[in-house]
Amino acid sequence: NAGVTQTPKFRILKIGQSMTLQCAQDMNHNYMYWYRQDPGMGLKLIYYSVGAGITDKGEVPNGYNVSRSTTEDFPLRLELAAPSQTSVYFCASSRDRTGSNEQFFGPGTRLTVL
Amino acid sequence: AQKVTQAQTEISVVEKEDVTLDCVYETRDTTYYLFWYKQPPSGELVFLIRRNSFDEQNEISGRYSWNFQKSTSSFKFTITASQVVDSAVYFCALSEVNRDDKIIFGKGTRLHILP
């Protein structure tokens, strides 16, 4: 099992550009999550999904969009990149509800917006 | 409100010393889960432990131990005989069962183990 994979590992964007951060898991997990981690801070939840076709906002959803067309994939879309979106983005998955199962994290995508 | 506080921003200890990382949480729910995650310099997040609110037994795993005290809303993490490889940022996190599966992370404690 590859676990949770994320691409790309690094990316530099110009203000106003768009991009999609890819996330895939091969553990057949129902729940998937996107977090951002700013320097010296903990993780903040952007969006999450409890199954294919179902997504919901987390703590900091503005400026992002997600979709979940399959169980395996949970891409995160930035439409108009802004410097405030410079961060490290982590995707995670869990088999079931967060509390009863650990979350498995991907290696992260480091995004810089200039 | 759901909240996790890790008051220690950064700690440095000499190798082989014991070190305790503090975590204090706030929740209105009676059913919740607490977690500790490790983030080494390589950047990935590694799950260490999960506790539910009904299990206050202390847990030991090798050099790691955890002390959960519901009365003081505290979930401490102790590393015994620390090693350089323990250098990392450690995050405490809270998930309330009735909160749509959202997990709230503390800001983390950066631990430096000096050789």
Side-chain angles (χ1 to χ4, degrees):
Chain A
N1 280 356
V4 180
T5 57
Q6 291 183 238
T7 55
K9 285 192 167 63
F10 304 94
R11 184 74 185 266
I12 298 175
L13 283 182
K14 293 183 180 175
I15 294 172
Q17 284 186 320
S18 301
M19 79 163 293
T20 298
L21 281 66
Q22 301 291 345
C23 173
Q25 51 90 10
D26 62 359
M27 297 173 281
N28 202 32
H29 284 173
N30 290 317
Y31 287 57
M32 295 187 76
Y33 314 81
W34 273 107
Y35 293 91
R36 60 178 285 173
Q37 183 181 26
D38 299 325
M41 303 291 285
L43 281 72
K44 293 191 175 178
L45 183 64
I46 305 172
Y47 270 96
Y48 67 104
S49 168
V50 302
I54 306 170
T55 63
D56 208 347
K57 294 177 181 178
E59 189 182 354
V60 288
N62 291 346
Y64 307 94
N65 276 302
V66 293
S67 59
R68 184 100 182 268
S69 55
T70 67
T71 299
E72 294 77 22
D73 300 299
F74 190 40
L76 177 73
R77 178 90 179 150
L78 282 71
E79 289 295 347
L80 290 169
S84 60
Q85 293 177 305
T86 294
S87 190
V88 180
Y89 291 84
F90 287 97
C91 179
S93 73
S94 63
R95 188 182 75 234
D96 208 323
R97 294 179 68 102
T98 302
S100 56
N101 290 273
E102 69 174 277
Q103 289 189 350
F104 293 83
F105 284 82
T109 294
R110 186 175 293 275
L111 176 67
T112 302
V113 182
L114 301 173
Chain B
Q2 192 186 22
K3 189 176 171 183
V4 177
T5 301
Q6 294 179 256
Q8 303 152 307
T9 308
E10 205 158 342
I11 300 174
S12 294
V13 300
V14 177
E15 199 174 17
K16 297 183 185 171
E17 287 184 353
D18 299 347
V19 58
T20 295
L21 308 183
D22 296 329
C23 173
V24 174
Y25 61 92
E26 291 177 33
T27 176
R28 287 175 293 186
D29 275 18
T30 55
T31 306
Y32 52 89
Y33 291 83
L34 295 163
F35 304 80
W36 276 96
Y37 281 86
K38 175 181 180 180
Q39 188 175 41
S42 50
E44 76 273 21
L45 280 145
V46 178
F47 168 83
L48 294 178
I49 190 172
R50 176 188 66 244
R51 291 309 257 187
N52 74 57
S53 51
F54 298 108
D55 182 3
E56 285 192 74
Q57 271 198 328
N58 291 338
E59 180 147 346
I60 299 174
S61 176
R63 296 182 296 105
Y64 294 172
S65 62
W66 291 270
N67 176 263
F68 175 30
Q69 289 197 341
K70 215 167 170 178
S71 59
T72 55
S73 298
S74 168
F75 189 37
K76 292 179 190 280
F77 172 34
T78 297
I79 302 174
T80 304
S82 60
Q83 299 176 0
V84 172
V85 294
D86 296 326
S87 297
V89 181
Y90 291 87
F91 292 98
C92 181
L94 165 70
S95 173
E96 292 170 323
V97 169
N98 296 321
R99 276 269 185 177
D100 298 328
D101 303 290
K102 294 172 186 174
I103 184 169
I104 299 295
F105 284 81
K107 293 185 179 179
T109 296
R110 184 175 296 276
L111 178 63
H112 300 278
I113 308 298
L114 309 171

